[in-house]
Amino acid sequence: MPNLPTNAPRRLPTKPVGGKSSTAKPKPESRAKQAVSAPPSQAASNLVKKVSTLDQLREVIAEFDAGEISDHARQSVFSRGNPDADVMVIGEAPGRDEDIQGKPFVGRSGQLLDRIFASIGLNEDSLYITNVINWRPPGNRNPTPEEIATSLPFIHKHMELVAPSVIVLVGGVSFSALTGMTGIMKNRGQWTSLKVGETDIPTLPIYHPAFLLRQPALKKDAWLDMLSLRSKIESL
Ligand code: URA
Ligand code: URA
């Protein structure tokens, strides 16, 4: 595997977020100069251009300086499940348990999410699970628009490498980040599509399990959404 350039090295105190320190020695023939004062999303876009495998993407993300969220997180959280699965599940951001274990959706929300998918026979063999954001926002606050923008090149590359047949967007933040639409309450259960490379992939927004834990009466909608997902999978 080629050595990936990390023009967004972590924890150099003087550098702008996601870029190289402006005092760093300029390296001719490298992207360093161009990355000076680049916004982090630009740094992320530049990095993913070199990525052609999931292992490389995981490594680039693990090395990336995303500012406050990566500074405060114990580790980046990449994925769990089967990269060859038909269904890719995309949540919002790791929480406390995910930050500790390094895997998405392993806390209380994750356990509910697993039960929701298990209701139609889906599990880690038949799902690939990740998040829009790879680091736990401090205190589980919502990710900022800048943090979402920084993460988009990574999640877009992630979708391209997994190339699923169906995408499930879990909760309002991932729904808005990836579709550009708002209104999870009226859009859940409504199939839409996401363009990944040249392909339009059928995409189903569902409620976030953390929301369902607070609004258990709405679990019936999650059940309807699973029936709809099962029909879609059967039609593939
Ligand atoms: N909530 C999410 O959106 N993702 C996780 O991984 C955990 C909780
Ligand atoms: N608000 C969200 O952000 N997500 C949900 O799933 C429901 C309400």
Side-chain angles (χ1 to χ4, degrees):
M1 191 178 81
N3 252 348
L4 291 163
T6 48
N7 57 356
R10 298 195 65 172
R11 297 182 216 288
L12 295 179
T14 56
K15 72 185 180 321
V17 158
K20 251 214 138 110
S21 164
S22 48
T23 57
K25 215 161 129 218
K27 278 196 227 144
E29 297 166 303
S30 83
R31 291 171 179 274
K33 211 164 178 183
Q34 169 191 336
V36 167
S37 81
S41 60
Q42 190 58 51
S45 308
N46 290 341
L47 286 168
V48 300
K49 285 184 194 139
K50 308 271 179 187
V51 164
S52 55
T53 67
L54 286 171
D55 282 343
Q56 288 174 355
L57 183 62
R58 180 197 293 269
E59 198 178 309
V60 160
I61 290 172
E63 297 288 318
F64 190 75
D65 183 347
E68 189 187 33
I69 46 172
S70 57
D71 285 347
H72 282 74
R74 285 182 173 80
Q75 57 188 319
S76 54
V77 173
F78 191 65
S79 70
R80 68 179 171 99
N82 181 357
D84 296 324
D86 283 334
V87 183
M88 181 169 187
V89 178
I90 307 179
E92 176 182 333
R96 182 175 175 278
D97 295 298
E98 291 76 20
D99 183 54
I100 291 170
Q101 295 186 42
K103 289 183 177 180
F105 282 114
V106 291
R108 202 158 160 245
S109 289
Q111 285 157 20
L112 176 55
L113 192 71
D114 283 351
R115 288 202 300 278
I116 290 170
F117 284 116
S119 71
I120 54 164
L122 298 177
N123 56 33
E124 273 199 7
D125 291 333
S126 40
L127 299 171
Y128 181 79
I129 303 173
T130 187
N131 285 304
V132 171
I133 308 275
N134 298 99
W135 300 269
R136 179 198 185 199
N140 290 349
R141 64 162 172 73
N142 277 337
T144 65
E146 291 73 25
E147 287 161 352
I148 291 172
T150 299
S151 293
L152 284 179
F154 293 136
I155 187 62
H156 285 147
K157 178 58 90 173
H158 210 155
M159 293 190 284
E160 194 185 311
L161 291 172
V162 173
S165 305
V166 176
I167 293 170
V168 177
L169 299 179
V170 181
V173 170
S174 25
F175 172 65
S176 295
L178 292 174
T179 65
M181 297 192 269
T182 54
I184 185 69
M185 299 306 289
K186 66 173 192 298
N187 283 292
R188 68 128 271 283
Q190 307 290 320
W191 285 93
T192 179
S193 69
L194 286 177
K195 205 167 186 69
V196 176
E198 292 304 302
T199 315
D200 286 316
I201 302 188
T203 298
L204 183 68
I206 66 170
Y207 285 141
H208 197 285
F211 174 73
L212 292 174
L213 287 168
R214 296 191 301 270
Q215 302 282 339
L218 295 180
K219 283 184 191 167
K220 63 180 186 323
D221 292 334
W223 169 240
L224 293 175
D225 296 346
M226 288 302 108
L227 295 180
S228 176
L229 177 61
R230 185 167 69 187
S231 305
K232 179 66 76 179
I233 293 168
E234 282 166 2
S235 75
L236 291 175

